[in-house]
Every structure is written in structure tokens, then in C-alpha cells.
């Protein structure tokens, strides 16, 4: 089964062709970073307009790179949510129109579930069902969650951020340090050789005690990154030093705080659930320190760890086509009640 995937939930316009839910034949990504950089973050109007402009070419390129034509495609998949509504609309409506025009089924996909599925892309990856039960750490610009998966289709949220996402914290921290946008990779590059213990920064909820937060989640499995960003701001306000070595040490300390909070909560979740399989996906899963620490945790706790391949961490359409091609029910593209869902929760009925 050949699925053409389309992803436009934020600032990447992406299309990909995936065979049988796991063989990626093409993966085209047109990133808008340069257009948003002057504003220090994603501007929804600019993003949606850019999606309209480039999506037709991106789709054509994905077919060409895969060496297939429209007659080979069996279904079209598109991100339904969560994401920016004006961006989601462009890709989802384009997919619906193409499905109608080509007489193909349309498969709506949950962006977060696709990030989790991305860990199992690639020829050497295990089958996600064989890897279950597992705990998946999803770390992106908009989400930070710990999810228990008892099968590739059964998700139970164990913990999530109560405020900023890990990627958002890195982006905001980078902006405070004058490192530009996007911040995650800027902090990683700046932190090389820096002292991660130079400044003591909070780990949010690390000693937050027990009890539950709204939604019934255990507080000790949740994250909070907004205090980290505020602590950084106060720290920077107290000194005029902006030397290269100072910023290097601050960036290293900030990155350490984010990664430490993530691995600390993951360790607790693993102990609590008695699970030995772990996966990790989302844009922040590209971070070298996080990957290293997850490897160490796996050794310490004798875990089996599966990380999303580097190319499939940040937003891409291969993960959309892959999830769709692994057995979701296809929808009639004419189904009129179906619209994008900017707050689509993980594990919900599409
Ligand atoms: O998954 P993604 O592409 O978009 C969302 O669905 O949100 O994640 C984007 C996030 C951004 O916050 C970006 O700063 C972060 O991923 N990111 C990184 C790295 N590369 C991207 N964070 C840390 N280290 C990286 N190397
Ligand atoms: Zn994403």
C-alpha cells in the first residue's frame, strides 16, 4: 500500500510517500525558518500563506523522489491536528481535494501519534506492537508528554507539561540568551564545552510532591518549564556579562536543566509502571545530550530504547504517511463533518 502523506501543522510544508506503513520512499520538507526568524517565532499568517505557495511543488517532488505516479498511490493522509488551525487547514483541505480528484481515500492523522510512530520508521526498527508495552517520551515545540502504549493504537497519558513544552522552553531560553530562532539547536551548539553546573536552575516539579493535577495525572510524572525560563531571565538581569564563555556556560546549564527534568520524570514513570521499553520522538529528540542521557538511563535500568531516527524527529510527512499506512481506517473524502482539530488530543477517535 502506497500512502502519500501531507503535513502542514506548523511551519514545515512536507509531503512523503511511504510503502506499507514503514518503507519511506520520499520525504520532502520545505522549512520556513528563514521567514519566521525575524519575528523570533512562528507567525501563523506567514506560515499558512507559505504552505499555500509551496505545497503543490512539495507534493510533486515527493512523488518524483519516490519514483511513483498518481496511479500508484492508494490513499492520501494528512495531519488533522493538533497544530495551528490556519496551517492545518491548508494541508488538510489540499489532501481532501486531491483525494476527491484522484478518487482516493483520505486518512486523517493525529500529529502527536505520528511523532510516536516516527521512532519505528526505518528498515531496522522493530514493529511497534512487538515493542509494547512501552513508555513513549514525546518532546516537541508544542508538547511534552509521557505516554504508556500497550499497543501501537492504545495510548494512556501518564504525564505532561503543565505550562511550556520542552522545545518551547529551549526556544524561549535561546531568545533570552540572544541565540536566535529556532532555539533548541542553537542552545545545543552554543553549549558545547560549557559547564552544565555553572548556574543552578530549577527542574520544575522535581520535588513537587505527590497528588494529582487537573485531568487526573500524577503530579510527579508531569513537567513544568515556565519557572526555568523565568529563573534564566532573572539570572541574566543580574549581570552584564555576555562574553562567549559566559553564554556557553549558561546555555550548557539551561540545556542540562531541560534534559535532567525529562529524564527524571521518565525514570519515575518507568519505575511506577514497571516497564522496560522506551521510545522517544519529536523535535527535541534530535538533541544530542538528551539522546546520550536516554542511552545512559537505558543502561542503568536495563531498558530497551528506541529513538526516532534523526530525520524523523522534527515535523515531517513520512511519519504521517507511515501511521496512516499501518492500518487506520480510511475516510470518504466527501465526509463533510470532518474538519481540522487544532487541539486534537492523543488517542482520540479521529
Ligand atoms: O516536533 P517539532 O518539529 O515541532 C512541533 O511539533 O512542535 O519540534 C520543534 C522543536 C523546537 O522547539 C526546536 O527548538 C526543537 O524542536 N529542536 C531541538 C533540536 N532540534 C529541534 N531541541 C533541542 N535540540 C535540538 N537539536
Ligand atoms: Zn511536531
Amino acid at each position: 500500500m502506497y500512502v502519500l502523506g501531507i503535513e502542514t501543522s506548523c511551519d514545515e510544508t512536507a509531503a512523503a510517500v511511504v510503502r506499507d506503513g514503514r518503507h519511506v520512499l520520499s520525504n520532502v520538507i520545505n522549512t520556513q525558518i528563514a521567514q519566521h526568524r525575524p519575528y523570533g517565532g512562528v507567525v501563523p499568517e506567514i506560515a499558512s500563506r507559505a504552505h499555500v505557495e509551496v505545497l503543490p511543488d512539495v507534493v510533486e517532488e515527493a512523488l518524483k523522489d519516490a519514483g511513483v505516479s498518481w496511479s500508484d498511490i492508494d490513499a492520501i493522509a494528512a495531519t488533522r491536528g493538533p497544530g495551528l488551525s490556519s496551517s492545518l487547514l491548508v494541508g488538510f483541505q489540499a489532501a481532501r481535494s486531491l483525494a476527491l480528484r484522484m478518487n482516493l481515500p483520505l486518512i486523517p492523522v493525529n500529529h502527536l501519534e505520528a511523532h510516536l510512530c516516527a521512532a519505528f520508521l526505518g528498515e531496522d526498527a522493530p514493529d511497534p506492537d512487538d515493542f509494547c508495552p512501552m513508555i513513549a517520551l514525546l518532546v516537541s515545540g508544542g508538547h511534552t508528554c509521557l505516554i504508556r502504549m500497550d499497543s501501537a493504537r492504545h495510548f494512556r497519558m501518564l504525564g505532561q507539561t503543565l505550562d511550556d513544552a520542552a522545545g518551547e522552553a529551549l526556544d524561549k531560553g535561546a531568545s533570552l540568551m540572544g541565540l536566535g530562532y529556532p532555539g533548541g539547536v542553537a542552545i545545543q551548539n552554543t553549549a558545547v564545552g560549557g559547564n552544565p553546573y555553572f548556574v543552578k536552575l530549577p527542574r520544575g516539579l522535581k520535588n513537587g510532591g505527590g497528588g494529582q493535577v487537573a485531568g487526573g495525572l500524577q503530579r510527579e510524572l508531569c513537567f513544568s518549564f515556565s519557572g526555568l525560563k523565568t529563573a534564566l531571565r532573572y539570572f541574566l538581569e543580574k549581570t552584564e556579562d555576555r562574553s562567549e564563555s559566559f553564554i556557553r556556560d549558561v546555555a550548557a546549564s539551561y540545556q542540562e536543566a531541560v534534559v535532567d527534568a525529562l529524564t527524571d520524570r521518565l525514570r519515575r514513570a518507568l519505575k511506577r509502571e514497571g516497564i522496560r521499553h522506551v521510545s522517544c520522538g519529536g523535535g527535541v529528540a534530535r538533541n544530542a545530550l538528551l539522546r546520550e542521557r536516554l542511552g545512559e538511563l537505558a543502561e542503568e535500568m536495563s531498558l530497551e530504547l528506541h529513538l526516532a531516527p534523526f530525520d524523523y524527529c522534527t515535523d515531517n510527512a513520512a511519519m504521517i504517511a507511515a501511521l496512516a499506512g499501518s492500518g487506520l481506517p480510511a475516510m470518504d473524502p466527501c465526509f463533510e463533518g470532518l474538519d481540522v482539530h487544532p487541539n486534537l488530543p492523543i488517542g482520540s477517535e479521529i
Side-chain angles (χ1 to χ4, degrees):
M1 176 172 173
Y2 288 78
V3 177
L4 168 73
I6 293 177
E7 152 66 36
T8 64
S9 68
C10 191
D11 60 339
E12 259 95 29
T13 316
V17 177
V18 174
R19 180 163 47 85
D20 299 334
R22 59 183 301 138
H23 305 289
V24 181
L25 305 184
S26 65
N27 187 29
V28 180
I29 303 171
N30 185 290
T31 181
Q32 307 167 5
I33 286 175
Q35 283 143 282
H36 299 288
R37 186 170 280 131
Y39 306 95
V42 177
V43 182
E45 289 77 9
I46 294 178
S48 55
R49 204 170 312 139
H51 289 314
V52 171
E53 281 165 15
V54 304
L55 186 60
D57 288 346
V58 168
V59 168
E60 282 307 319
E61 204 180 324
L63 292 172
K64 195 163 148 252
D65 283 3
V68 299
S69 61
W70 278 108
S71 58
D72 298 311
I73 300 294
D74 297 300
I76 299 180
T79 308
R80 186 182 173 214
L84 297 171
S85 57
S86 50
S87 285
L88 288 166
L89 268 171
V90 177
F92 197 71
Q93 293 304 347
R96 190 202 293 267
S97 310
L98 285 167
L100 271 168
R101 168 74 181 81
M102 302 296 174
N103 199 22
L104 291 169
L106 173 70
I107 307 179
V109 172
N110 182 314
H111 182 84
L112 302 180
E113 293 171 19
H115 269 306
L116 297 181
C117 157
F120 299 92
L121 274 175
E123 305 297 323
D124 301 331
D127 185 294
D129 274 320
D130 295 341
F131 205 69
C132 286
M134 72 173 119
I135 292 190
L137 173 63
L138 171 58
V139 271
S140 72
H143 295 84
T144 299
C145 343
L146 282 168
I147 296 140
R148 179 183 166 124
M149 289 173 67
D150 284 296
S151 80
R153 296 270 172 255
H154 291 94
F155 308 92
R156 183 157 65 83
M157 186 76 77
L158 299 174
Q160 64 180 346
T161 182
L162 303 183
D163 38 61
D164 292 349
E168 190 180 355
L170 289 163
D171 292 337
K172 287 177 176 171
S175 159
L176 289 170
M177 286 181 261
L179 300 177
Y181 168 86
V185 69
I187 288 187
Q188 172 173 314
N189 293 337
T190 307
V192 174
N195 174 7
Y197 308 108
F198 178 71
V199 42
K200 202 165 177 265
L201 292 166
R203 267 56 169 165
L205 303 185
K206 186 159 186 170
N207 303 309
Q212 294 188 342
V213 299
L217 300 177
Q218 296 300 321
R219 196 175 164 78
E220 63 165 16
L221 300 183
C222 290
F223 307 87
S224 169
F225 290 106
S226 65
L228 171 64
K229 168 197 67 194
T230 310
L232 174 67
R233 206 182 73 223
Y234 288 151
F235 177 75
L236 290 173
E237 277 170 10
K238 277 194 297 193
T239 166
E240 305 252 294
D241 194 351
R242 292 295 181 269
S243 64
E244 212 174 287
S245 69
F246 173 82
I247 292 294
R248 187 189 309 133
D249 288 341
V250 178
S253 304
Y254 196 82
Q255 178 177 243
E256 178 72 27
V258 172
V259 169
D260 187 38
L262 294 173
T263 46
D264 173 74
R265 257 21 72 78
L266 175 60
R267 183 188 279 106
R268 281 189 210 178
L270 287 160
K271 283 189 183 151
R272 217 186 151 93
E273 299 291 314
I275 285 184
R276 313 212 74 80
H277 286 192
V278 180
S279 69
C280 180
V284 182
R286 286 178 91 119
N287 185 268
L289 183 67
L290 177 62
R291 295 176 89 91
E292 186 186 316
R293 289 290 163 78
L294 292 176
E296 287 166 10
L297 186 68
E299 265 205 53
E300 173 199 320
M301 296 181 73
S302 305
L303 307 169
E304 284 215 41
L305 173 68
H306 210 77
L307 301 174
F310 208 70
D311 285 348
Y312 306 128
C313 289
T314 39
D315 289 348
N316 66 85
M319 65 184 191
I320 304 300
L323 183 55
S326 62
L328 269 179
M331 309 265 331
D332 178 345
C334 298
F335 184 73
E336 285 183 5
L338 194 71
D339 201 351
V340 298
H341 191 325
N343 297 314
L344 187 65
I346 202 159
S348 58
E349 287 292 318
I350 279 281

Coordinates of all heavy atoms in Angstrom, one line a residue, residues 32-97:
Q32 N 10.2 26.8 6.8 CA 10.0 28.3 6.7 C 10.8 29.0 7.7 O 10.5 30.2 8.0 CB 8.5 28.6 6.9 CG 7.6 27.9 6.0 CD 6.1 28.0 6.5 OE1 5.8 28.8 7.4 NE2 5.2 27.3 5.8
I33 N 11.8 28.4 8.3 CA 12.6 29.0 9.4 C 13.0 30.4 9.1 O 12.8 31.4 9.9 CB 13.8 28.1 9.8 CG1 13.3 26.9 10.6 CG2 14.8 28.9 10.7 CD1 14.4 25.9 10.9
A34 N 13.6 30.6 7.9 CA 14.1 31.9 7.5 C 13.0 33.0 7.5 O 13.3 34.1 7.9 CB 14.8 31.8 6.1
Q35 N 11.8 32.6 7.1 CA 10.7 33.6 7.1 C 10.2 34.0 8.5 O 9.8 35.1 8.7 CB 9.5 33.0 6.3 CG 9.7 33.1 4.8 CD 9.1 31.8 4.1 OE1 9.7 30.7 4.2 NE2 7.9 32.0 3.6
H36 N 10.4 33.1 9.4 CA 9.9 33.4 10.8 C 11.0 34.0 11.7 O 10.7 34.6 12.7 CB 9.3 32.2 11.4 CG 8.1 31.6 10.7 ND1 6.9 32.2 10.7 CD2 8.0 30.5 9.9 CE1 6.1 31.5 9.9 NE2 6.7 30.5 9.4
R37 N 12.3 33.8 11.3 CA 13.4 34.2 12.1 C 13.3 35.6 12.6 O 13.5 35.9 13.8 CB 14.7 33.8 11.4 CG 15.9 34.1 12.3 CD 17.2 33.6 11.8 NE 17.4 32.1 12.0 CZ 17.7 31.3 11.0 NH1 17.9 31.7 9.8 NH2 17.9 30.0 11.3
P38 N 13.0 36.6 11.7 CA 13.0 38.0 12.1 C 12.0 38.2 13.3 O 12.2 39.2 14.0 CB 12.6 38.7 10.9 CG 12.8 37.8 9.7 CD 12.7 36.4 10.3
Y39 N 11.0 37.4 13.4 CA 10.0 37.6 14.5 C 10.3 36.8 15.7 O 9.5 36.8 16.7 CB 8.6 37.3 13.9 CG 8.3 38.0 12.6 CD1 8.6 37.4 11.4 CD2 7.9 39.3 12.7 CE1 8.3 38.1 10.2 CE2 7.7 40.0 11.5 CZ 7.9 39.4 10.3 OH 7.7 40.1 9.1
G40 N 11.3 35.9 15.7 CA 11.7 35.1 16.8 C 10.7 34.0 17.1 O 10.8 33.4 18.2
G41 N 9.8 33.7 16.2 CA 8.9 32.6 16.4 C 8.0 32.4 15.2 O 8.1 33.3 14.3
V42 N 7.1 31.4 15.2 CA 6.3 31.2 14.1 C 5.1 32.2 14.0 O 4.4 32.4 15.0 CB 5.7 29.8 14.1 CG1 4.8 29.5 12.9 CG2 6.8 28.8 14.1
V43 N 4.9 32.9 12.9 CA 3.8 33.8 12.7 C 2.8 33.1 11.8 O 3.0 32.7 10.7 CB 4.3 35.1 11.9 CG1 3.1 36.1 11.8 CG2 5.5 35.7 12.6
P44 N 1.6 32.8 12.5 CA 0.6 31.9 11.8 C 0.3 32.3 10.4 O 0.2 31.5 9.4 CB -0.6 31.9 12.7 CG 0.0 32.2 14.1 CD 1.2 33.1 13.8
E45 N 0.1 33.7 10.2 CA -0.4 34.2 8.8 C 0.7 33.9 7.8 O 0.4 33.5 6.7 CB -0.6 35.7 8.9 CG -1.9 36.1 9.6 CD -1.7 36.0 11.1 OE1 -0.6 35.8 11.6 OE2 -2.8 36.1 11.8
I46 N 2.0 34.1 8.2 CA 3.1 33.8 7.2 C 3.2 32.4 6.9 O 3.3 31.9 5.8 CB 4.4 34.4 7.8 CG1 4.4 35.9 8.0 CG2 5.6 33.9 7.0 CD1 5.6 36.5 8.6
A47 N 3.0 31.5 8.0 CA 3.1 30.1 7.8 C 2.0 29.6 6.8 O 2.3 28.8 5.9 CB 2.9 29.4 9.2
S48 N 0.8 30.0 7.0 CA -0.3 29.4 6.2 C -0.1 29.9 4.7 O -0.3 29.1 3.8 CB -1.7 29.8 6.7 OG -1.8 31.1 6.9
R49 N 0.3 31.2 4.6 CA 0.5 31.7 3.2 C 1.6 30.9 2.5 O 1.5 30.5 1.3 CB 0.8 33.2 3.2 CG 0.4 33.8 1.9 CD 0.5 35.3 2.0 NE -0.1 35.9 3.2 CZ 0.3 36.9 3.9 NH1 1.5 37.4 3.6 NH2 -0.3 37.4 4.9
A50 N 2.7 30.6 3.2 CA 3.8 29.9 2.7 C 3.4 28.5 2.3 O 3.8 27.9 1.3 CB 5.0 29.9 3.6
H51 N 2.5 27.8 3.1 CA 2.0 26.5 2.8 C 1.3 26.5 1.5 O 1.5 25.6 0.6 CB 1.1 26.0 3.9 CG 1.7 25.6 5.2 ND1 2.9 24.9 5.3 CD2 1.4 25.9 6.5 CE1 3.2 24.7 6.6 NE2 2.3 25.3 7.3
V52 N 0.4 27.5 1.3 CA -0.3 27.6 0.1 C 0.6 27.7 -1.1 O 0.4 27.0 -2.2 CB -1.3 28.8 0.1 CG1 -1.9 29.0 -1.3 CG2 -2.4 28.7 1.2
E53 N 1.6 28.5 -1.0 CA 2.5 28.7 -2.1 C 3.3 27.5 -2.5 O 3.5 27.2 -3.7 CB 3.5 29.9 -1.8 CG 2.9 31.3 -1.9 CD 3.7 32.4 -1.3 OE1 4.8 32.2 -0.9 OE2 3.1 33.5 -1.1
V54 N 3.8 26.8 -1.5 CA 4.8 25.7 -1.8 C 4.2 24.3 -1.9 O 4.9 23.4 -2.4 CB 6.1 25.7 -0.9 CG1 6.8 27.1 -1.0 CG2 5.8 25.4 0.5
L55 N 3.0 24.1 -1.3 CA 2.6 22.7 -1.2 C 2.5 22.0 -2.5 O 2.9 20.8 -2.6 CB 1.2 22.7 -0.4 CG 0.7 21.3 -0.1 CD1 1.7 20.5 0.7 CD2 -0.7 21.3 0.6
P56 N 1.9 22.6 -3.6 CA 1.8 21.8 -4.8 C 3.2 21.3 -5.3 O 3.3 20.1 -5.7 CB 1.3 22.9 -5.8 CG 0.5 23.9 -5.0 CD 1.3 23.9 -3.7
D57 N 4.2 22.1 -5.2 CA 5.5 21.7 -5.7 C 6.1 20.6 -4.7 O 6.8 19.7 -5.2 CB 6.5 22.8 -5.7 CG 6.2 23.8 -6.9 OD1 5.5 23.4 -7.8 OD2 6.8 24.9 -6.9
V58 N 5.8 20.8 -3.4 CA 6.4 19.8 -2.5 C 5.7 18.4 -2.7 O 6.4 17.4 -2.7 CB 6.1 20.3 -1.0 CG1 6.3 19.2 0.0 CG2 7.0 21.5 -0.7
V59 N 4.4 18.4 -3.0 CA 3.7 17.1 -3.3 C 4.3 16.5 -4.6 O 4.6 15.3 -4.6 CB 2.2 17.4 -3.4 CG1 1.5 16.1 -4.0 CG2 1.6 17.7 -2.1
E60 N 4.5 17.3 -5.6 CA 5.0 16.8 -6.9 C 6.4 16.2 -6.7 O 6.8 15.1 -7.2 CB 5.1 17.9 -7.9 CG 3.8 18.2 -8.6 CD 3.1 17.0 -9.2 OE1 3.8 16.1 -9.8 OE2 1.8 16.8 -9.0
E61 N 7.2 16.9 -5.9 CA 8.6 16.4 -5.6 C 8.6 15.1 -4.8 O 9.4 14.2 -5.1 CB 9.3 17.5 -4.8 CG 10.8 17.5 -4.9 CD 11.5 18.6 -4.1 OE1 10.9 19.7 -4.0 OE2 12.6 18.3 -3.5
A62 N 7.6 15.0 -3.9 CA 7.6 13.8 -3.1 C 7.2 12.6 -4.0 O 7.8 11.5 -3.9 CB 6.5 13.9 -2.0
L63 N 6.3 12.8 -5.0 CA 6.0 11.7 -5.9 C 7.2 11.4 -6.8 O 7.6 10.2 -7.0 CB 4.8 12.1 -6.8 CG 3.5 12.3 -6.1 CD1 2.4 12.9 -7.1 CD2 3.0 10.9 -5.6
K64 N 7.9 12.4 -7.3 CA 9.0 12.3 -8.2 C 10.2 11.5 -7.5 O 10.7 10.6 -8.0 CB 9.5 13.6 -8.7 CG 10.4 13.6 -9.8 CD 10.5 15.0 -10.5 CE 11.9 15.2 -11.1 NZ 12.7 16.1 -10.4
D65 N 10.5 12.0 -6.3 CA 11.6 11.4 -5.5 C 11.3 9.9 -5.2 O 12.2 9.1 -5.1 CB 11.8 12.0 -4.1 CG 12.5 13.4 -4.2 OD1 12.8 13.8 -5.4 OD2 12.7 14.0 -3.2
A66 N 10.0 9.6 -5.0 CA 9.6 8.2 -4.7 C 9.6 7.3 -6.0 O 9.5 6.1 -5.9 CB 8.3 8.2 -4.0
G67 N 9.7 8.0 -7.1 CA 9.6 7.3 -8.4 C 8.2 6.6 -8.6 O 8.1 5.6 -9.2
V68 N 7.2 7.3 -8.2 CA 5.8 6.8 -8.4 C 5.0 7.9 -9.1 O 5.4 9.1 -9.1 CB 5.1 6.4 -7.0 CG1 5.9 5.3 -6.3 CG2 5.0 7.6 -6.1
S69 N 3.9 7.5 -9.6 CA 2.9 8.4 -10.2 C 1.6 8.3 -9.4 O 1.4 7.4 -8.6 CB 2.7 8.1 -11.7 OG 2.2 6.9 -11.8
W70 N 0.7 9.2 -9.7 CA -0.6 9.2 -9.0 C -1.3 7.9 -9.1 O -1.9 7.5 -8.1 CB -1.5 10.3 -9.6 CG -1.2 11.7 -9.0 CD1 -0.6 12.7 -9.7 CD2 -1.4 12.1 -7.7 NE1 -0.5 13.8 -8.8 CE2 -1.0 13.4 -7.6 CE3 -2.0 11.5 -6.5 CZ2 -1.0 14.2 -6.4 CZ3 -2.1 12.2 -5.4 CH2 -1.6 13.5 -5.3
S71 N -1.1 7.2 -10.2 CA -1.8 5.9 -10.3 C -1.3 4.8 -9.3 O -2.0 3.8 -9.1 CB -1.7 5.4 -11.8 OG -0.4 5.2 -12.1
D72 N -0.1 5.0 -8.8 CA 0.4 4.1 -7.8 C -0.1 4.3 -6.4 O 0.0 3.5 -5.5 CB 2.0 4.2 -7.7 CG 2.6 3.9 -9.0 OD1 2.3 2.8 -9.6 OD2 3.4 4.7 -9.5
I73 N -0.6 5.6 -6.1 CA -1.0 5.9 -4.8 C -2.3 5.3 -4.4 O -3.3 5.3 -5.1 CB -1.0 7.5 -4.6 CG1 0.3 8.1 -5.0 CG2 -1.5 7.9 -3.3 CD1 1.4 7.8 -4.0
D74 N -2.3 4.7 -3.2 CA -3.6 4.0 -2.7 C -4.4 4.9 -1.8 O -5.6 4.6 -1.6 CB -3.2 2.7 -2.0 CG -2.5 1.8 -2.9 OD1 -3.1 1.4 -3.9 OD2 -1.3 1.4 -2.6
A75 N -3.8 5.8 -1.1 CA -4.5 6.7 -0.2 C -3.7 8.0 0.1 O -2.5 8.0 -0.1 CB -4.7 6.0 1.2
I76 N -4.4 9.0 0.5 CA -3.8 10.2 0.9 C -4.0 10.5 2.4 O -5.2 10.4 2.9 CB -4.3 11.4 0.1 CG1 -4.1 11.2 -1.4 CG2 -3.7 12.7 0.5 CD1 -4.6 12.2 -2.3
A77 N -2.9 10.8 3.1 CA -3.1 11.0 4.6 C -2.7 12.5 4.8 O -1.8 13.0 4.2 CB -2.1 10.1 5.3
A78 N -3.3 13.1 5.8 CA -3.0 14.5 6.2 C -3.2 14.7 7.6 O -4.0 14.1 8.3 CB -3.8 15.5 5.4
T79 N -2.3 15.6 8.2 CA -2.5 15.9 9.6 C -3.8 16.6 9.8 O -4.0 17.7 9.2 CB -1.3 16.8 10.0 OG1 -0.1 16.2 9.6 CG2 -1.3 17.0 11.5
R80 N -4.6 16.1 10.8 CA -5.8 16.8 11.1 C -5.6 17.7 12.3 O -6.3 18.7 12.5 CB -6.9 15.7 11.5 CG -8.2 16.3 11.7 CD -9.3 15.4 12.1 NE -10.5 16.1 12.4 CZ -11.3 15.8 13.3 NH1 -11.2 14.6 14.0 NH2 -12.4 16.5 13.6
G81 N -4.7 17.4 13.2 CA -4.4 18.2 14.4 C -3.5 17.4 15.3 O -3.2 16.2 15.0
P82 N -3.0 17.9 16.4 CA -3.1 19.3 16.7 C -2.1 20.2 16.0 O -1.2 19.7 15.4 CB -2.8 19.3 18.3 CG -1.9 18.1 18.4 CD -2.3 17.1 17.4
G83 N -2.3 21.5 16.0 CA -1.4 22.4 15.3 C -2.1 23.8 15.2 O -3.1 24.0 15.8
L84 N -1.5 24.6 14.3 CA -2.1 25.9 14.1 C -3.2 25.7 13.1 O -3.0 25.1 12.0 CB -1.0 26.8 13.4 CG 0.2 27.2 14.2 CD1 1.3 27.9 13.4 CD2 -0.1 28.0 15.4
S85 N -4.4 26.3 13.4 CA -5.6 26.0 12.6 C -5.4 26.4 11.2 O -5.7 25.7 10.2 CB -6.8 26.5 13.2 OG -6.7 27.9 13.4
S86 N -4.8 27.6 11.0 CA -4.7 28.1 9.6 C -3.7 27.3 8.8 O -3.9 27.2 7.6 CB -4.4 29.6 9.6 OG -3.2 29.8 10.4
S87 N -2.7 26.8 9.5 CA -1.7 25.9 8.8 C -2.3 24.5 8.5 O -2.2 24.0 7.4 CB -0.5 25.8 9.6 OG 0.3 26.9 9.6
L88 N -3.0 24.0 9.5 CA -3.6 22.7 9.3 C -4.6 22.7 8.1 O -4.7 21.8 7.3 CB -4.4 22.3 10.6 CG -3.6 21.9 11.8 CD1 -4.4 21.8 13.0 CD2 -2.9 20.5 11.6
L89 N -5.4 23.8 8.1 CA -6.4 23.9 7.0 C -5.9 23.7 5.6 O -6.5 23.1 4.8 CB -7.1 25.3 7.1 CG -8.4 25.3 8.0 CD1 -8.8 26.8 8.2 CD2 -9.5 24.5 7.4
V90 N -4.7 24.4 5.4 CA -4.1 24.3 4.0 C -3.8 22.9 3.6 O -4.3 22.5 2.5 CB -2.9 25.2 4.0 CG1 -2.2 25.1 2.6 CG2 -3.1 26.6 4.3
G91 N -3.1 22.2 4.5 CA -2.7 20.8 4.1 C -3.9 19.9 4.0 O -4.1 19.0 3.2
F92 N -4.8 20.0 5.0 CA -5.9 19.1 5.1 C -6.9 19.3 4.0 O -7.4 18.3 3.4 CB -6.7 19.2 6.5 CG -7.5 18.1 6.8 CD1 -7.0 16.9 7.2 CD2 -8.9 18.2 6.8 CE1 -7.8 15.8 7.5 CE2 -9.7 17.1 7.1 CZ -9.2 15.9 7.4
Q93 N -7.2 20.5 3.6 CA -8.1 20.8 2.5 C -7.5 20.4 1.2 O -8.1 19.9 0.3 CB -8.6 22.2 2.5 CG -9.5 22.6 3.7 CD -10.7 21.7 3.8 OE1 -11.1 21.0 2.9 NE2 -11.4 21.8 5.0
A94 N -6.2 20.6 1.1 CA -5.5 20.2 -0.2 C -5.6 18.7 -0.3 O -5.9 18.1 -1.4 CB -4.0 20.6 -0.1
A95 N -5.4 18.0 0.8 CA -5.4 16.5 0.8 C -6.9 16.0 0.4 O -7.0 15.1 -0.4 CB -5.0 15.9 2.1
R96 N -7.8 16.7 1.0 CA -9.2 16.3 0.7 C -9.5 16.6 -0.8 O -10.2 15.7 -1.5 CB -10.2 17.2 1.5 CG -11.6 16.7 1.5 CD -12.6 17.8 1.8 NE -12.5 18.2 3.2 CZ -13.3 17.7 4.2 NH1 -14.1 16.8 4.0 NH2 -13.2 18.2 5.4
S97 N -9.1 17.7 -1.3 CA -9.3 18.0 -2.8 C -8.6 17.0 -3.6 O -9.2 16.5 -4.6 CB -8.8 19.4 -3.1 OG -9.3 20.3 -2.2

